[in-house]
Amino acid sequence: MKDQIKFTIVIVFWCYIIFFIVSCKNKVTEIQIIEKINQDVNISTNTFTHGKNWLSSYKIISFQKNDDSLFLLSSISKVILNKGIFFILDGRFSNLYAFNSGGKYIRKYGAIGLGINEYKKINDFDIDTIKNQIIILSEDNAALYYYDLYTSKFVKKLNLKIYGNQFCQTEKNEILLYRNFNTGDKGDGYNLVLLDSTGNLKSKAFPYNAKLSNIGWKSTGFLRKTGKRILFAGAYNDTVYCFINNSFNIKNIINIGSKNIKANLLTLNNVYNKKFLLDSSTSLLGNSFFANERFVVFNYQSKLKIKSAIYNTNLKEISNLTESDNKNPLMYVFFTPMMLDNHSNLYLKFSKSDIQNIAKKYPIAYTQLLIEQPQIKACLNQQSEEFLLITNLQGAINLNYLKQ
């Protein structure tokens, strides 16, 4: 009888130990957010420097196939440059392509469908430079799809069971997922979650009230890599955080949000319901933000227009990419920042439709544009809808590193 009691006690003890270990292993923690501010983080938008001509010299890349077959790059939603290869997401048709430095087609990754290696839609992608894999995020599937970087061969599918529309793979092979106010899953109430390499929820950050803020936003807020940094800003928020050592530290505060936006950061449904975005007094940080050691580039809304700004971290000067100058027809072209590399080459997208709209609204400027900017004119004869314009923020363009 005593032996049976001892045996029962031992069994109960080990069951408790196992339960404790499993509980600790599966415990979800909160990511530390460090709100420390130093003198270099603030970027004032009160005074813009005028007279800068960031587009005095540039190169345009149009993306196409080597043969004469019909190929249309309908949109450029994201660009990653890796070892001289452009990886471009066409978000309109959910196609992910690789092109060489001259814009020639190399390969396509995955396809829309219901198979194990197919997805319903592409929302984002990243590159694992260690395993040489490209990773596709599909919010509709709540999954990541892994393909060989050089052959596009399918490797695996990772079910996340958490919905999000942007992600970054960390140096520890973990997954930072931006949920963009999604509700109804394990990450409920938090805008960022950290998943381990198997897709299990590990930690979370940036809580929100799902009853007051439950609308996903496309034009503001982001999670992206710029260089080796992982940067995050919530929708309508001026503060940009950098993910370092499993914590978020303030990278920059842009100081651009208008009073009606700042008063509703905890109740973002009001921004939609009260139609603040249609108010000419509304200003806010957009969804493009890139930085290197010398420059910060971002887009923003002001006076019902989307603009792009460039901040020189050494000179502490900020200026717009293009200015309202009737002498420069490039001011009429709508450029969107897509990437800033360590050589201070800035990659901007623009579309054929933008140029054609100038002809309708500003015919004199359109004529001037085609005369003075032959590279822009040449785009009108290309099959693709969108193009990349590359300019250097420090002066002359040097793209020799693309040939590596």
Side-chain angles (χ1 to χ4, degrees):
M1 186 66 179
K2 290 183 178 180
D3 290 340
Q4 187 175 1
I5 293 174
K6 288 181 179 179
F7 178 76
T8 302
I9 292 174
V10 170
I11 293 297
V12 170
F13 172 78
W14 281 109
C15 285
Y16 174 80
I17 293 297
I18 293 172
F19 175 79
F20 178 78
I21 292 174
V22 172
S23 298
C24 291
K25 184 178 180 180
N26 295 331
K27 185 179 180 181
V28 178
T29 60
E30 286 203 23
I31 302 174
Q32 185 181 16
I33 301 174
I34 301 174
E35 301 287 356
K36 183 179 179 181
I37 301 175
N38 61 51
Q39 61 181 0
D40 295 324
V41 305
N42 284 287
I43 297 179
S44 175
T45 57
N46 294 327
T47 304
F48 277 75
T49 300
H50 299 284
K52 294 283 187 180
N53 186 0
W54 297 108
L55 301 178
S56 58
S57 63
Y58 58 82
K59 175 181 175 61
I60 291 178
I61 297 181
S62 100
F63 300 95
Q64 52 195 309
K65 283 194 173 182
N66 293 321
D67 54 30
D68 294 328
S69 60
L70 181 63
F71 173 77
L72 173 65
L73 183 65
S74 65
S75 69
I76 298 177
S77 304
K78 182 173 181 177
V79 178
I80 293 180
L81 181 60
N82 181 60
K83 296 181 179 179
I85 303 297
F86 287 104
F87 297 88
I88 295 184
L89 171 60
D90 181 344
R92 186 173 299 164
F93 292 140
S94 285
N95 290 319
L96 180 57
Y97 301 109
F99 300 91
N100 69 14
S101 59
K104 299 298 182 182
Y105 175 91
I106 299 175
R107 67 182 66 88
K108 179 176 178 286
Y109 297 88
I112 293 176
L114 301 177
I116 185 65
N117 61 336
E118 297 173 327
Y119 39 76
K120 296 179 181 178
K121 179 182 179 182
I122 301 180
N123 293 88
D124 198 3
F125 76 98
D126 199 0
I127 293 178
D128 185 333
T129 56
I130 304 300
K131 296 181 180 179
N132 290 321
Q133 293 177 349
I134 199 161
I135 311 168
I136 289 174
L137 169 67
S138 174
E139 182 178 26
D140 290 358
N141 297 90
L144 293 175
Y145 296 79
Y146 294 73
Y147 299 86
D148 185 274
L149 190 64
Y150 300 116
T151 66
S152 71
K153 183 179 179 181
F154 175 71
V155 177
K156 67 176 181 178
K157 175 184 178 182
L158 180 62
N159 291 310
L160 303 179
K161 299 179 182 179
I162 295 180
Y163 293 94
N165 61 7
Q166 294 180 43
F167 85 105
C168 291
Q169 180 172 275
T170 71
E171 292 182 348
K172 296 181 179 180
N173 203 32
E174 296 173 328
I175 302 153
L176 266 176
L177 183 67
Y178 177 34
R179 302 183 63 252
N180 197 7
F181 301 97
N182 268 300
T183 59
D185 56 38
K186 293 181 179 180
D188 208 6
Y190 287 82
N191 241 338
L192 266 183
V193 293
L194 182 66
L195 311 174
D196 64 22
S197 59
T198 61
N200 292 314
L201 181 60
K202 184 177 179 181
S203 51
K204 49 193 179 181
F206 300 100
Y208 66 94
N209 187 329
K211 293 181 179 180
L212 303 176
S213 302
N214 52 33
I215 299 173
W217 304 94
K218 292 183 178 181
S219 60
T220 177
F222 55 83
L223 173 70
R224 67 163 43 88
K225 287 180 181 175
T226 173
K228 293 185 177 181
R229 301 184 181 98
I230 296 179
L231 303 180
F232 170 75
Y236 298 99
N237 208 305
D238 282 357
T239 305
V240 179
Y241 294 88
C242 185
F243 186 68
I244 303 174
N245 298 324
N246 282 333
S247 64
F248 282 96
N249 299 260
I250 292 178
K251 168 72 173 65
N252 291 111
I253 299 176
I254 309 300
N255 294 314
I256 202 168
S258 51
K259 291 181 180 180
N260 58 350
I261 294 296
K262 291 183 177 181
N264 288 278
L265 287 177
L266 300 179
T267 56
L268 287 182
N269 286 3
N270 286 343
V271 175
Y272 176 81
N273 295 332
K274 297 182 179 181
K275 300 181 179 180
F276 288 149
L277 295 182
L278 301 178
D279 187 336
S280 60
S281 67
T282 296
S283 58
L284 56 105
L285 183 63
N287 58 4
S288 288
F289 188 98
F290 304 94
N292 62 17
E293 296 301 323
R294 185 164 181 178
F295 296 97
V296 175
V297 180
F298 59 91
N299 67 354
Y300 66 99
Q301 176 177 321
S302 176
K303 298 179 181 179
L304 300 179
K305 293 183 178 180
I306 304 298
K307 303 178 181 181
S308 296
I310 299 171
Y311 179 72
N312 188 315
T313 58
N314 293 336
L315 301 178
K316 304 292 188 294
E317 290 181 350
I318 189 169
S319 58
N320 282 315
L321 175 67
T322 57
E323 296 184 356
S324 299
D325 180 0
N326 292 328
K327 296 180 180 180
N328 186 357
L330 283 174
M331 65 161 283
Y332 295 99
V333 183
F334 182 70
F335 295 106
T336 301
M338 299 304 298
M339 190 177 72
L340 176 67
D341 65 26
N342 291 331
H343 302 269
S344 293
N345 290 312
L346 176 61
Y347 300 74
L348 305 161
K349 78 169 181 178
F350 69 98
S351 73
K352 189 188 300 182
S353 299
D354 290 337
I355 302 171
Q356 292 167 340
N357 287 334
I358 297 173
K360 298 176 183 178
K361 295 181 179 180
Y362 312 100
I364 296 177
Y366 176 75
T367 301
Q368 183 185 0
L369 179 69
L370 299 191
I371 293 173
E372 297 180 4
Q373 309 294 335
Q375 289 191 67
I376 297 285
K377 180 181 179 180
C379 295
L380 295 175
N381 299 320
Q382 301 294 326
Q383 290 181 346
S384 292
E385 168 61 22
E386 295 202 342
F387 310 87
L388 277 185
L389 180 149
I390 309 173
T391 187
N392 190 280
L393 301 182
Q394 292 181 281
I397 302 174
N398 184 355
L399 301 179
N400 289 332
Y401 69 95
L402 287 177
K403 301 176 182 178
Q404 59 184 330

mmCIF file of all heavy atoms in Angstrom, residues 161-177:
data_model
loop_
_atom_site.group_PDB
_atom_site.id
_atom_site.type_symbol
_atom_site.label_atom_id
_atom_site.label_comp_id
_atom_site.label_asym_id
_atom_site.label_seq_id
_atom_site.Cartn_x
_atom_site.Cartn_y
_atom_site.Cartn_z
ATOM 1 N N LYS A 161 -1.999 30.467 -38.626
ATOM 2 C CA LYS A 161 -3.236 30.532 -37.835
ATOM 3 C C LYS A 161 -3.447 31.919 -37.234
ATOM 4 O O LYS A 161 -4.231 32.092 -36.306
ATOM 5 C CB LYS A 161 -3.227 29.472 -36.724
ATOM 6 C CG LYS A 161 -3.152 28.041 -37.250
ATOM 7 C CD LYS A 161 -3.116 27.032 -36.112
ATOM 8 C CE LYS A 161 -2.990 25.614 -36.661
ATOM 9 N NZ LYS A 161 -2.929 24.600 -35.563
ATOM 10 N N ILE A 162 -2.703 32.887 -37.735
ATOM 11 C CA ILE A 162 -2.855 34.285 -37.340
ATOM 12 C C ILE A 162 -2.819 35.116 -38.616
ATOM 13 O O ILE A 162 -1.995 34.883 -39.495
ATOM 14 C CB ILE A 162 -1.732 34.727 -36.379
ATOM 15 C CG1 ILE A 162 -1.819 33.963 -35.057
ATOM 16 C CG2 ILE A 162 -1.798 36.224 -36.102
ATOM 17 C CD1 ILE A 162 -0.750 34.335 -34.055
ATOM 18 N N TYR A 163 -3.709 36.091 -38.704
ATOM 19 C CA TYR A 163 -3.828 36.875 -39.919
ATOM 20 C C TYR A 163 -3.003 38.162 -39.825
ATOM 21 O O TYR A 163 -3.001 38.839 -38.798
ATOM 22 C CB TYR A 163 -5.290 37.217 -40.203
ATOM 23 C CG TYR A 163 -6.121 36.000 -40.551
ATOM 24 C CD1 TYR A 163 -6.840 35.318 -39.567
ATOM 25 C CD2 TYR A 163 -6.162 35.523 -41.853
ATOM 26 C CE1 TYR A 163 -7.585 34.192 -39.887
ATOM 27 C CE2 TYR A 163 -6.911 34.402 -42.183
ATOM 28 C CZ TYR A 163 -7.614 33.741 -41.190
ATOM 29 O OH TYR A 163 -8.352 32.623 -41.504
ATOM 30 N N GLY A 164 -2.328 38.483 -40.916
ATOM 31 C CA GLY A 164 -1.554 39.708 -41.013
ATOM 32 C C GLY A 164 -1.226 39.978 -42.469
ATOM 33 O O GLY A 164 -1.276 39.061 -43.294
ATOM 34 N N ASN A 165 -0.874 41.226 -42.798
ATOM 35 C CA ASN A 165 -0.613 41.518 -44.208
ATOM 36 C C ASN A 165 0.803 42.013 -44.495
ATOM 37 O O ASN A 165 1.133 42.290 -45.644
ATOM 38 C CB ASN A 165 -1.638 42.512 -44.755
ATOM 39 C CG ASN A 165 -1.602 43.847 -44.041
ATOM 40 O OD1 ASN A 165 -0.728 44.098 -43.216
ATOM 41 N ND2 ASN A 165 -2.548 44.703 -44.342
ATOM 42 N N GLN A 166 1.661 42.114 -43.474
ATOM 43 C CA GLN A 166 3.072 42.423 -43.683
ATOM 44 C C GLN A 166 3.888 41.621 -42.679
ATOM 45 O O GLN A 166 3.427 41.352 -41.562
ATOM 46 C CB GLN A 166 3.351 43.917 -43.500
ATOM 47 C CG GLN A 166 2.697 44.809 -44.548
ATOM 48 C CD GLN A 166 2.997 46.276 -44.317
ATOM 49 O OE1 GLN A 166 4.122 46.661 -44.012
ATOM 50 N NE2 GLN A 166 1.974 47.113 -44.461
ATOM 51 N N PHE A 167 5.122 41.249 -43.072
ATOM 52 C CA PHE A 167 5.962 40.484 -42.156
ATOM 53 C C PHE A 167 7.430 40.714 -42.483
ATOM 54 O O PHE A 167 7.788 41.177 -43.569
ATOM 55 C CB PHE A 167 5.629 38.990 -42.229
ATOM 56 C CG PHE A 167 6.352 38.266 -43.348
ATOM 57 C CD1 PHE A 167 7.421 37.428 -43.078
ATOM 58 C CD2 PHE A 167 5.960 38.430 -44.672
ATOM 59 C CE1 PHE A 167 8.089 36.768 -44.109
ATOM 60 C CE2 PHE A 167 6.621 37.783 -45.708
ATOM 61 C CZ PHE A 167 7.685 36.946 -45.421
ATOM 62 N N CYS A 168 8.276 40.378 -41.520
ATOM 63 C CA CYS A 168 9.726 40.352 -41.707
ATOM 64 C C CYS A 168 10.277 39.138 -40.991
ATOM 65 O O CYS A 168 9.852 38.833 -39.863
ATOM 66 C CB CYS A 168 10.393 41.613 -41.146
ATOM 67 S SG CYS A 168 10.053 43.126 -42.045
ATOM 68 N N GLN A 169 11.222 38.464 -41.611
ATOM 69 C CA GLN A 169 11.941 37.401 -40.917
ATOM 70 C C GLN A 169 13.116 38.011 -40.181
ATOM 71 O O GLN A 169 13.875 38.788 -40.762
ATOM 72 C CB GLN A 169 12.423 36.326 -41.884
ATOM 73 C CG GLN A 169 13.184 35.194 -41.184
ATOM 74 C CD GLN A 169 13.492 34.045 -42.111
ATOM 75 O OE1 GLN A 169 12.679 33.165 -42.320
ATOM 76 N NE2 GLN A 169 14.689 34.048 -42.679
ATOM 77 N N THR A 170 13.280 37.686 -38.910
ATOM 78 C CA THR A 170 14.343 38.263 -38.103
ATOM 79 C C THR A 170 15.636 37.472 -38.285
ATOM 80 O O THR A 170 15.657 36.405 -38.907
ATOM 81 C CB THR A 170 13.957 38.270 -36.611
ATOM 82 O OG1 THR A 170 13.982 36.913 -36.106
ATOM 83 C CG2 THR A 170 12.560 38.845 -36.415
ATOM 84 N N GLU A 171 16.717 37.995 -37.716
ATOM 85 C CA GLU A 171 18.012 37.320 -37.797
ATOM 86 C C GLU A 171 18.000 35.989 -37.062
ATOM 87 O O GLU A 171 18.830 35.121 -37.329
ATOM 88 C CB GLU A 171 19.101 38.223 -37.233
ATOM 89 C CG GLU A 171 19.378 39.469 -38.082
ATOM 90 C CD GLU A 171 20.494 40.315 -37.515
ATOM 91 O OE1 GLU A 171 20.890 40.071 -36.356
ATOM 92 O OE2 GLU A 171 20.981 41.220 -38.233
ATOM 93 N N LYS A 172 17.057 35.822 -36.123
ATOM 94 C CA LYS A 172 16.941 34.570 -35.370
ATOM 95 C C LYS A 172 15.982 33.592 -36.028
ATOM 96 O O LYS A 172 15.549 32.617 -35.403
ATOM 97 C CB LYS A 172 16.484 34.861 -33.935
ATOM 98 C CG LYS A 172 17.477 35.675 -33.120
ATOM 99 C CD LYS A 172 16.967 35.892 -31.703
ATOM 100 C CE LYS A 172 17.974 36.684 -30.883
ATOM 101 N NZ LYS A 172 17.486 36.908 -29.482
ATOM 102 N N ASN A 173 15.626 33.849 -37.282
ATOM 103 C CA ASN A 173 14.731 32.982 -38.038
ATOM 104 C C ASN A 173 13.315 32.976 -37.472
ATOM 105 O O ASN A 173 12.558 32.024 -37.679
ATOM 106 C CB ASN A 173 15.285 31.548 -38.101
ATOM 107 C CG ASN A 173 14.736 30.774 -39.282
ATOM 108 O OD1 ASN A 173 14.450 31.349 -40.326
ATOM 109 N ND2 ASN A 173 14.573 29.483 -39.116
ATOM 110 N N GLU A 174 12.965 34.054 -36.753
ATOM 111 C CA GLU A 174 11.607 34.208 -36.254
ATOM 112 C C GLU A 174 10.830 35.134 -37.188
ATOM 113 O O GLU A 174 11.400 35.729 -38.099
ATOM 114 C CB GLU A 174 11.631 34.756 -34.826
ATOM 115 C CG GLU A 174 12.292 33.803 -33.847
ATOM 116 C CD GLU A 174 12.478 34.397 -32.457
ATOM 117 O OE1 GLU A 174 12.680 35.632 -32.369
ATOM 118 O OE2 GLU A 174 12.456 33.645 -31.467
ATOM 119 N N ILE A 175 9.539 35.248 -36.964
ATOM 120 C CA ILE A 175 8.665 35.974 -37.880
ATOM 121 C C ILE A 175 7.949 37.087 -37.144
ATOM 122 O O ILE A 175 7.208 36.837 -36.182
ATOM 123 C CB ILE A 175 7.626 35.026 -38.510
ATOM 124 C CG1 ILE A 175 8.323 33.890 -39.252
ATOM 125 C CG2 ILE A 175 6.684 35.789 -39.445
ATOM 126 C CD1 ILE A 175 7.500 32.630 -39.334
ATOM 127 N N LEU A 176 8.177 38.322 -37.562
ATOM 128 C CA LEU A 176 7.417 39.461 -37.070
ATOM 129 C C LEU A 176 6.263 39.694 -38.036
ATOM 130 O O LEU A 176 6.471 39.872 -39.244
ATOM 131 C CB LEU A 176 8.289 40.715 -36.998
ATOM 132 C CG LEU A 176 8.964 41.045 -35.672
ATOM 133 C CD1 LEU A 176 9.853 42.269 -35.837
ATOM 134 C CD2 LEU A 176 7.951 41.284 -34.566
ATOM 135 N N LEU A 177 5.042 39.683 -37.517
ATOM 136 C CA LEU A 177 3.851 39.788 -38.351
ATOM 137 C C LEU A 177 3.040 41.019 -37.944
ATOM 138 O O LEU A 177 2.674 41.166 -36.773
ATOM 139 C CB LEU A 177 2.997 38.528 -38.200
ATOM 140 C CG LEU A 177 1.738 38.419 -39.061
ATOM 141 C CD1 LEU A 177 2.105 38.290 -40.527
ATOM 142 C CD2 LEU A 177 0.889 37.221 -38.621
#
